[in-house]
Amino acid sequence: MHAYVYKSQRKDETYVYLAERDAFTRLPEPLRSQLGSLQFVLEVALTPERRLARGDAAVVRENLATRGFHIQFPPSIETERGADA
């Protein structure tokens, strides 16, 4: 499965994965408004072996298959502290 990754220009460190390139209509309107402009950053093959820096590739694949999109939010402060401990 391929994913097309876009960076939100309004929400720092927030990324949108789409099942189809430029298929922004898959995103609910309130979400599109919050994210603002989206800038294409990457096309990636999400194979079962694929590891992602943040998040579970299996969850991303499931969201793409069922919704057509996946949102990657920035890590919380607590998550960052836990990783450093």
Side-chain angles (χ1 to χ4, degrees), residues 25-42:
T25 57
R26 294 291 224 156
L27 300 170
E29 181 53 42
L31 182 58
R32 275 191 280 174
S33 297
Q34 288 180 352
L35 295 172
S37 304
L38 297 172
Q39 178 184 1
F40 179 77
V41 292
L42 176 69

Side-chain angles (χ1 to χ4, degrees), residues 3-16:
Y4 303 89
V5 185
Y6 299 82
K7 179 179 181 176
S8 170
Q9 298 299 291
R10 185 178 291 161
K11 299 283 186 180
D12 195 35
E13 293 191 58
T14 300
Y15 294 86
V16 176

Side-chain angles (χ1 to χ4, degrees), residues 48-62:
E49 302 81 28
R50 179 63 142 193
R51 295 179 145 263
L52 299 175
R54 292 188 189 150
D56 183 339
V59 172
V60 175
R61 284 194 311 275
E62 177 66 24

